[in-house]
Amino acid sequence: MLQLYSLRPWISTRNSESDLFSSSKRKSRLHSNRRVPISTFNLHNFAVERRGNCMSSGIIWRKLDPSMKIKISSKVKCNFSPMNSKNCSQTVQDCGAKLLMASLCSHLVVKLIQLNSMNAVMELVRKSFYHTVRTMGASNLPFACMSNSLGKPTPLQLDVSLPSFQDIRWSFARLVYLFNIQLERNVATFFIVLLVACFSFVIIGGFLFFKLRGSSQSLEDCFWEAWACLCSSSTHLKQRTRIERVIGFVLAIWGILFYSRLLSTMTEQFRNNMYRLREGAQMQVLETDHIIICGVNSRLSFVLKQLNKYHEFAVRLGTATARRQRILLLSDLPRKQMDKVADNIAKDLNHIDILTKSCSLSLTKSFERAAANKARAIIILPTKEDRYEVDSDAFLSVLALQPLPLMASVPTIVEVSSSNTCELLKSISGLKVEPVENVASKLFVQCSRQKGLIKIYKHLLNYRKNVFNLCNFPHLAGLSYKELRRGFQEAVVCGLYRNGRVCFHPNDAEILEEADKVLFIGPVHGTKKPQLSYPHVFEENDDSINNVETIKQNSEFLNGALGATRERLKNIVKRPKISDSKAPDWCVGPTERVLVLGWRPDVVEMIEEYDNYLGPGSVLEILSDVPLDARLKAFKLAGHGKLKNIRVSHRVGNPMEYNTLEETIINIQKSSKKEVDIPFSIAVISDKEWKVGDPSRADKNSAYSLLLAESICGKLGVKVQNLVAEVVDSKLGKQITRIRPSLTYIAAEEVMSLVTAQVAENVELNDVWKDILNAEGDEIYVKDISFYMKQGENASFYELSERANLRREIAIGYVKNNKKFINPIPKLEPLSLELNDSLIVISELEGEQPVVM
């Protein structure tokens, strides 16, 4: 019995020494159960013969030891004798082939068994991991133990299977949605995504080039070539192999797409940034000593022109801190519209720069970005027609300013519609609020009753002429008001400003205190204050002129010089002090008939103002196409008391229709036919419907109605005392007066705008104008000169001022030959006035006032 070794048919290894089997090792691997009954033969020749064939296929056959023999059982005997060598060789070849086939089959079976075993092990591991994940996930959930009072986690049977296609599709759509939202907020997000995608392609392309080229090119050079293909589309043409050309082509196509999207993204980002800059809502203003104007309305142009004039004189006087004043315009309108308005206004304004910013006027952040706490002044203009909306918007804007620090030193000028709102705004702590009541309707009534009064107001608001000034003279402390009033020859002293209040008629014995300010009318003084001067002759540059002793000596001289004047004033009837009402105790107001053409809600205030000036029996008739219900509603909302002196009648019709207007004028004449010499006036106001759309439309309609009324009155032979029209554009009013000198235009809105701008430069003047423009205080009147001089007298302005002072009036100028003169210089020269001339005074009452000695 011969035992067969367990031999592998071929062995492929790199180390030949480790694959050689020694005879001792082969003996130790003897398998007794594998026995082949075969004759004894030598396998050396078989191995040598088959070696050449196996070497070609990469398999190395090792020589068997020649001494190794195969023992065959006794039944089969084979001797290796020379005569049987051929048969034995054939037998060995057959046996080797069988062993080879058996070894191949065994090898395949083993491989199959190993593969099945690995699959079984992998399935076992997968199930174990799946069970572990489910158990751990259920036990670690934050609410897994809610149902167990003992705190023992109970695994929840959650479905952790792969999501469905619909879920994946929804998640992808959600991701795109979030990306689009971020892209809407910031266009630069797409720029970042493009950069990430670009560098990803460069990295992938570089690795592919490195893989294909092996060690012939470094990884850095591969990255650079991938970047070159992406940057320059012609670089991929230099590639040599087919795969490299495909990679270069893909990179070149992506580079073209990348640069096109990059250019569009940068353009869109630039456009977005420019839009934000144009709107100005997110831009922080880095300005100091600028003026902020909140709101855009029809009066904005007048405010800007007034500020331009003030800064022009500030530059000339050397008090300006910059060559051009910066004006920041805030509004909730689109910035394009604001720029258009600002460009139209600022064409001829050479001393201001206008910046615009679109934002909300009720947000603190808007004023913080506008550097409101570093501004010189803040002006809040009304943007609505309704009076209640005007006051509520102003209140919200002021509240938005309150949280800002250091706002107590910045004056805030707010235009409001009622005095009650003024008190409410002043009660807000931490702010320096100066409410300016819009008394345009009252101002219209005053100017419509006194021809030329509107020109006086505009003169006093023009910085190129004589304006109100408040100045402190600490070196004159201790002088009496009488000495102070007579001492200024280059200005008209109007009163004192003490403890935040203006007094137009202080007693002559009142002593000037060091903290008091003198209110006078004169040119803008700047750093150069007016000096006291008297009739005595002094040498030039003599400082003794302002000494207290010198002033008292000259005052005694003036007392003697006024002796003759006092003798003439003895003929004037002396009356006691009068009350504060507009109608004096000893007489009533004039009876007049007034026809008002047009209607708007603030006509109610005009009616009350007429009631303050006119006497009993006066009639006021209103012609408009506004229904009577709307007019009565306006009266109820105003909530004013009963009228004392006038009777109001309403007529519905179009004031621009000839027949309707003619019928109205005829009815007024018939109703007052029995009356004798009752003055008749016609006032045209801007109708509410006329202001809709183009602002110039209201002026055109007002001018047409006024000219039509004049034509009808001339045709009917009706004598009209005053023909006035309310306009917004004063240029149109000047054209009308050139054609018809008898007509008068009143730009009440312009005057209120000039007042607001002047208060913005000097907040203390707010009390001055509040007193002058209200019927309750002192006002400017143009009175007949016959109240102050007799026929044949040739008085000087100084003497007329003293006579007006005895009536508790302040003479500020005169009208001669229909020309006005404010603050005339010199004041001691005779004026040669006639009895048909007038004296311009600041007085409490209209008409003749009593003499107070």
Side-chain angles (χ1 to χ4, degrees):
M1 180 70 71
L2 181 67
Q3 295 182 354
L4 181 65
Y5 285 96
S6 179
L7 300 175
R8 302 186 71 174
W10 62 79
I11 299 171
S12 177
T13 149
R14 296 181 181 179
N15 192 357
S16 60
E17 294 180 358
S18 61
D19 294 335
L20 296 176
F21 290 93
S22 62
S23 59
S24 60
K25 288 184 179 181
R26 290 192 180 97
K27 290 178 180 180
S28 64
R29 295 183 180 180
L30 183 64
H31 296 274
S32 59
N33 57 345
R34 295 186 179 182
R35 296 176 180 177
V36 179
I38 187 173
S39 303
T40 302
F41 60 92
N42 195 333
L43 297 179
H44 175 69
N45 295 329
F46 173 75
V48 173
E49 183 179 358
R50 302 294 297 176
R51 183 177 181 181
N53 297 330
C54 293
M55 287 296 289
S56 62
S57 61
I59 301 175
I60 302 175
W61 283 85
R62 307 299 180 189
K63 282 186 178 183
L64 295 178
D65 191 354
S67 62
M68 187 180 68
K69 306 266 181 160
I70 298 177
K71 296 180 180 181
I72 309 299
S73 61
S74 58
K75 293 181 180 181
V76 182
K77 293 182 181 180
C78 182
N79 296 326
F80 286 69
S81 60
M83 57 184 310
N84 294 329
S85 60
K86 184 177 181 180
N87 294 331
C88 289
S89 177
Q90 183 66 32
T91 304
V92 170
Q93 290 180 2
D94 295 339
C95 183
K98 292 180 180 180
L99 287 175
L100 178 62
M101 295 299 296
S103 299
L104 289 174
C105 293
S106 301
H107 179 71
L108 291 175
V109 171
V110 171
K111 287 294 182 181
L112 290 175
I113 294 174
Q114 290 180 354
L115 182 61
N116 293 332
S117 301
M118 290 297 295
N119 291 336
V121 172
M122 290 298 295
E123 184 67 20
L124 180 63
V125 172
R126 189 183 68 80
K127 289 183 178 180
S128 301
F129 180 74
Y130 173 71
H131 180 71
T132 304
V133 169
R134 291 185 60 182
T135 305
M136 294 297 294
S139 61
N140 291 333
L141 289 176
F143 300 102
C145 303
M146 290 184 62
S147 61
N148 193 345
S149 60
L150 298 178
K152 294 181 179 180
T154 301
L156 299 177
Q157 301 299 325
L158 299 178
D159 186 11
V160 294
S161 60
L162 294 176
S164 63
F165 176 74
Q166 295 295 335
D167 294 337
I168 296 175
R169 183 178 180 183
W170 185 89
S171 301
F172 181 75
R174 172 73 176 175
L175 182 63
V176 174
Y177 166 74
L178 295 176
F179 175 74
N180 290 334
I181 290 179
Q182 188 64 27
L183 189 62
E184 289 179 0
R185 293 179 179 177
N186 191 359
V187 184
T189 305
F190 196 73
F191 177 72
I192 296 175
V193 173
L194 283 177
L195 289 180
V196 172
C198 174
F199 285 110
S200 300
F201 269 82
V202 171
I203 292 174
I204 294 173
F207 276 115
L208 290 176
F209 281 142
F210 182 75
K211 183 67 175 176
L212 293 174
R213 296 174 182 178
S215 59
S216 63
Q217 195 173 9
S218 64
L219 183 62
E220 181 181 357
D221 294 336
C222 292
F223 283 149
W224 182 255
E225 189 163 356
W227 171 252
C229 291
L230 191 141
C231 292
S232 178
S233 58
S234 62
T235 307
H236 76 284
L237 301 176
K238 302 177 182 179
Q239 305 301 321
R240 294 179 296 274
T241 64
R242 181 182 301 172
I243 299 179
E244 291 180 356
R245 290 174 182 175
V246 171
I247 296 173
F249 176 76
V250 172
L251 291 175
I253 294 298
W254 171 250
I256 295 173
L257 296 176
F258 168 74
Y259 279 106
S260 61
R261 297 302 300 171
L262 179 64
L263 181 61
S264 62
T265 303
M266 293 179 65
T267 304
E268 185 64 25
Q269 180 69 20
F270 182 76
R271 185 184 295 110
N272 188 30
N273 293 337
M274 291 303 298
Y275 175 78
R276 290 186 177 182
L277 290 176
R278 283 194 298 267
E279 289 299 320
Q282 307 296 330
M283 183 180 64
Q284 177 66 42
V285 177
L286 301 177
E287 295 285 348
T288 57
D289 200 39
H290 57 292
I291 298 177
I292 300 176
I293 300 179
C294 304
V296 176
N297 58 14
S298 58
R299 300 194 294 271
L300 176 63
S301 60
F302 306 118
V303 174
L304 293 176
K305 290 178 182 178
Q306 183 77 338
L307 295 176
N308 181 72
K309 290 179 182 179
Y310 181 84
H311 194 73
E312 178 184 357
F313 275 86
V315 171
R316 292 181 181 180
L317 297 173
T319 59
T321 57
R323 185 172 181 82
R324 297 171 69 94
Q325 176 67 54
R326 288 293 179 90
I327 307 293
L328 179 60
L329 183 60
L330 304 181
S331 177
D332 52 1
L333 298 175
R335 193 170 182 183
K336 279 188 177 180
Q337 185 176 351
M338 296 171 59
D339 290 338
K340 183 178 180 181
V341 173
D343 292 340
N344 292 334
I345 297 174
K347 290 180 180 178
D348 301 327
L349 306 181
N350 301 322
H351 299 278
I352 61 174
D353 288 331
I354 302 177
L355 307 176
T356 58
K357 188 178 178 69
S358 178
C359 60
S360 175
L361 300 180
S362 59
L363 297 179
T364 304
K365 196 67 177 178
S366 301
F367 291 102
E368 182 180 354
R369 289 171 177 164
N373 53 356
K374 298 180 181 179
R376 181 178 179 181
I378 300 174
I379 302 175
I380 301 178
L381 300 178
T383 57
K384 306 290 181 58
E385 293 293 335
D386 186 71
R387 56 181 300 179
Y388 301 106
E389 291 185 5
V390 168
D391 292 348
S392 60
D393 290 347
F395 185 73
L396 290 177
S397 298
V398 173
L399 285 182
L401 288 169
Q402 189 181 23
L404 297 180
L406 305 176
M407 283 300 299
S409 60
V410 180
T412 304
I413 294 87
V414 187
E415 283 195 16
V416 296
S417 61
S418 64
S419 58
N420 295 329
T421 308
C422 295
E423 300 298 328
L424 178 62
L425 293 176
K426 285 186 176 180
S427 63
I428 300 178
S429 61
L431 296 176
K432 188 179 180 180
V433 182
E434 290 293 336
V436 178
E437 185 179 357
N438 188 1
V439 291
S441 56
K442 299 179 181 180
L443 183 64
F444 176 80
V445 174
Q446 295 178 21
C447 298
S448 64
R449 300 191 66 254
Q450 299 185 73
K451 192 172 183 179
L453 181 60
I454 187 68
K455 295 181 180 179
I456 297 173
Y457 279 128
K458 294 181 70 174
H459 180 103
L460 294 174
L461 291 167
N462 190 349
Y463 285 109
R464 297 175 182 176
K465 300 179 181 179
N466 295 279
V467 297
F468 283 108
N469 293 271
L470 280 171
C471 189
N472 188 17
F473 297 92
H475 63 282
L476 299 180
L479 289 179
S480 65
Y481 180 73
K482 181 179 181 180
E483 296 169 341
L484 187 69
R485 176 174 54 82
R486 294 176 176 178
F488 286 102
Q489 298 297 314
E490 297 179 356
V492 176
V493 179
C494 301
L496 296 178
Y497 185 82
R498 177 180 294 175
N499 298 327
R501 298 185 62 183
V502 176
C503 180
F504 278 100
H505 307 285
N507 296 325
D508 283 345
E510 189 74 30
I511 302 301
L512 181 67
E513 298 179 1
E514 187 174 355
D516 292 342
K517 290 187 177 181
V518 179
L519 175 64
F520 62 91
I521 295 177
V524 179
H525 59 83
T527 58
K528 182 180 178 181
K529 299 180 181 179
Q531 300 294 324
L532 294 177
S533 60
Y534 290 93
H536 279 185
V537 179
F538 295 92
E539 296 180 1
E540 194 174 353
N541 300 327
D542 188 0
D543 295 334
S544 64
I545 188 173
N546 290 321
N547 292 338
V548 176
E549 296 297 330
T550 305
I551 293 172
K552 290 183 177 180
Q553 293 176 5
N554 284 280
S555 179
E556 294 175 358
F557 169 80
L558 291 175
N559 289 335
L562 292 174
T565 304
R566 290 177 178 174
E567 291 295 329
R568 287 191 292 269
L569 290 177
K570 289 180 181 179
N571 297 327
I572 300 177
V573 181
K574 299 178 182 178
R575 295 185 176 90
K577 261 189 162 182
I578 48 91
S579 62
D580 292 336
S581 63
K582 289 297 173 183
D585 296 338
W586 61 92
C587 65
V588 294
T591 302
E592 295 182 5
R593 295 168 298 168
V594 181
L595 174 61
V596 177
L597 304 180
W599 172 267
R600 62 172 184 264
D602 59 352
V603 171
V604 179
E605 298 179 0
M606 294 184 182
I607 294 173
E608 292 184 344
E609 195 73 6
Y610 274 114
D611 190 63
N612 292 331
Y613 289 99
L614 300 181
S618 299
V619 178
L620 190 145
E621 186 163 345
I622 302 173
L623 175 62
S624 176
D625 52 2
V626 177
L628 291 177
D629 295 338
R631 305 183 197 182
L632 296 177
K633 183 179 179 180
F635 275 99
K636 291 180 181 179
L637 290 176
H640 296 293
K642 187 178 179 180
L643 301 176
K644 299 178 294 182
N645 299 321
I646 63 174
R647 177 176 58 86
V648 180
S649 61
H650 295 272
R651 183 181 293 269
V652 179
N654 191 349
M656 292 188 295
E657 187 178 351
Y658 185 90
N659 295 330
T660 302
L661 184 56
E662 183 182 22
E663 183 182 355
T664 303
I665 295 175
I666 292 174
N667 290 335
I668 293 177
Q669 293 299 315
K670 288 181 178 180
S671 63
S672 59
K673 188 174 182 180
K674 298 179 181 180
E675 303 292 339
V676 180
D677 295 336
I678 297 180
F680 176 58
S681 301
I682 297 178
V684 182
I685 63 174
S686 299
D687 197 280
K688 181 180 179 181
E689 298 296 331
W690 296 351
K691 290 187 173 182
V692 177
D694 188 8
S696 62
R697 178 169 171 260
D699 290 350
K700 297 175 183 177
N701 294 340
S702 298
Y704 177 78
S705 299
L706 185 64
L707 294 173
L708 187 62
E710 183 195 29
S711 176
I712 293 174
C713 291
K715 180 180 179 181
L716 298 176
V718 178
K719 183 180 179 181
V720 184
Q721 183 179 9
N722 290 318
L723 272 167
V724 297
E726 181 186 22
V727 296
V728 176
D729 188 6
S730 58
K731 294 180 180 179
L732 179 61
K734 291 179 181 179
Q735 292 177 359
I736 296 174
T737 54
R738 290 193 193 102
I739 300 173
R740 297 285 193 275
S742 59
L743 304 181
T744 304
Y745 74 93
I746 300 174
E749 298 290 341
E750 178 182 357
V751 172
M752 286 306 306
S753 304
L754 299 179
V755 170
T756 302
Q758 196 174 88
V759 172
E761 299 294 347
N762 190 350
V763 295
E764 296 172 340
L765 293 177
N766 187 24
D767 294 331
V768 176
W769 285 108
K770 181 179 179 181
D771 197 313
I772 288 178
L773 296 177
N774 280 327
E776 292 79 10
D778 291 85
E779 298 172 79
I780 298 176
Y781 293 97
V782 182
K783 297 188 177 182
D784 293 339
I785 199 66
S786 59
F787 294 159
Y788 310 95
M789 60 177 289
K790 295 181 179 180
Q791 182 71 30
E793 282 192 85
N794 191 11
S796 64
F797 183 78
Y798 192 95
E799 187 172 347
L800 294 175
S801 300
E802 289 296 324
R803 295 179 184 183
N805 183 65
L806 294 176
R807 299 175 181 272
R808 290 181 59 83
E809 296 175 345
I810 304 169
I812 63 174
Y814 61 91
V815 178
K816 183 178 180 180
N817 298 328
N818 293 327
K819 293 182 179 180
K820 65 181 183 305
F821 299 90
I822 307 295
N823 184 29
I825 298 175
K827 295 181 172 56
L828 294 176
E829 293 183 359
L831 300 177
S832 302
L833 298 176
E834 302 293 337
L835 291 181
N836 57 352
D837 295 329
S838 305
L839 188 68
I840 305 173
V841 297
I842 297 177
S843 176
E844 293 178 325
L845 296 177
E846 184 181 12
E848 184 181 3
Q849 284 203 194
V851 177
V852 181
M853 299 296 294

